[in-house]
Amino acid sequence: MSEPPHPPARWTPSATTLADLDLVLTGAWPTGQVFAPDLPPGVDGPVELLDPEGVPLALHDPRSGTTTALAPLDHGPFRRLHRSPDDVRAALGTDAPAVRIVVAPPTETDVATVLAETGPVVALVAVGPGSPRDASGVGLVRATLAALGGRPSVAVVAASVAARPDPADDVAFRLAVGRAFGTDVVELDGRGPLTDAVRVEVDHDRPPPGRRGLVLLLTGLSGSGKSTIARGLHDRLLERTRRTVTTLDGDVVRHHLSRGLGFSREDRERNIERIGWVAAEVSRHGGVAICSPIAPFADTRATVRGYVEEAGGTFVLVHVATPLDECERRDRKGLYARARAGGIPEFTGISSPYEEPDDALVRVDTTGRDVASCVDDVLAALVEQGLLDPGVRDAAPAGDVVPPR
């Protein structure tokens, strides 16, 4: 009696692979190119590709290279514009429309170029991860609709074209996707003055830095003063701005969002990633998030930066660079003493490394300094970068020396 077949593996791939899968399922994947999703090691048979919510989208067999749709892609902003090439050509009444690829908000010249075409045109908006320039994917579609929507000879189509690491490959891939829709494929330049209608959409999508979501990540050793500075920043920002301000302290998050995680490197990195994801969502909606975990590893800090930038926010790294000997001298919680005695494995600075950042906007050593002056250093840097309105003069009076948090 034969054994029943094993069910296929299940895997949620990267955002780039999900974008590629979208092209495959809509029929826009470039002819002659191989769809190779990023699969976990050891997978050599059929695998269900899931969306981030765990819904199976397709069954991919790496042995044959076949991909079979399991569920329609029916959600996401402007989903109705993610049309198949056959549908677009039928709507335009031609098998060979001109294709103009949009990667940046259309300029006055871009609009004139498209409208000068004598036949039907596909305005193909590249909205995949890393492709839109000077706008989010949603903002780029809005800008293109403002410039070219409603014209009977122009079809505005969205395509999940994810950026490729190599610049030459990136351009070639976009052009190859364009050829799935028509002929005479050209990428619009996207540089120059914008029409008033497009400018309105761009300004809404990319507000000036002072109104953009902001994430401040304070990194440093235990006892360096991160939490104390974070509390000071929280209060001062509420006093001088009308923005929502959220504080995500490493210890507090562990009691709620990350309860159950240990202190292995893997668990510590997962904790930071969770903090970063929440902070990025705060920034997506224009708020300010102040995070104060130890965040000892450069790769994890870079991951958080990526979350924030993908959400359209601004990421600022603050290195609270209080030396180890000063942090250990403070040791209010007795953690260093326990770590020295071997009671806490993988304790940052003692038995686990702290990778000092080389990309911090601000470096603050709290040794012998009061809280207000440390907060002033950070606020001054934000003003200098245009991230905070300099109009309010609110230097706080000097206070106590930074306590050991």
Side-chain angles (χ1 to χ4, degrees), residues 49 56 68 157 160 198 211 254 259 284 294 307 311 329 358 371 374 383:
L49 302 179
T68 305
V157 178
S160 299
V198 171
R211 291 196 289 112
R254 275 192 171 274
R259 182 178 298 171
R284 189 187 300 276
I294 293 174
Y307 289 162
R329 184 194 65 79
D358 57 9
V371 179
C374 296
V383 170

Side-chain angles (χ1 to χ4, degrees), residues 186-330:
V186 176
E187 187 163 288
L188 296 176
D189 182 62
R191 292 179 173 84
L194 303 176
T195 67
D196 290 343
V198 171
R199 171 55 62 191
V200 168
E201 297 299 339
V202 172
D203 287 347
H204 174 76
D205 184 66
R206 285 288 186 263
R211 291 196 289 112
R212 200 174 300 162
L214 175 64
V215 173
L216 298 166
L217 179 64
L218 282 69
T219 174
L221 297 171
S222 177
S224 60
K226 302 181 303 300
S227 296
T228 302
I229 295 174
R231 287 197 300 270
L233 283 169
H234 177 271
D235 295 345
R236 296 274 289 282
L237 287 172
L238 285 177
E239 290 173 4
R240 68 180 291 167
T241 74
R242 292 183 174 87
R243 303 173 72 178
T244 58
V245 183
T246 301
T247 301
L248 297 169
D249 179 80
D251 291 335
V252 175
V253 169
R254 275 192 171 274
H255 284 298
H256 300 282
L257 186 63
S258 294
R259 182 178 298 171
L261 290 183
F263 289 89
S264 66
R265 174 163 182 160
E266 181 182 1
D267 280 0
R268 284 183 290 164
E269 288 182 304
R270 184 174 291 114
N271 184 48
I272 303 306
E273 289 173 356
R274 290 179 180 179
I275 290 172
W277 187 86
V278 172
E281 290 303 301
V282 171
S283 75
R284 189 187 300 276
H285 301 287
V288 178
I290 306 170
C291 314
S292 54
I294 293 174
F297 304 118
D299 285 349
T300 317
R301 297 192 295 259
T303 296
V304 174
R305 183 186 291 272
Y307 289 162
V308 175
E309 292 176 351
E310 185 278 329
T314 300
F315 178 85
V316 170
L317 186 64
V318 178
H319 181 199
V320 184
T322 309
L324 174 62
D325 58 353
E326 173 64 15
C327 296
E328 193 166 1
R329 184 194 65 79
R330 296 172 178 177

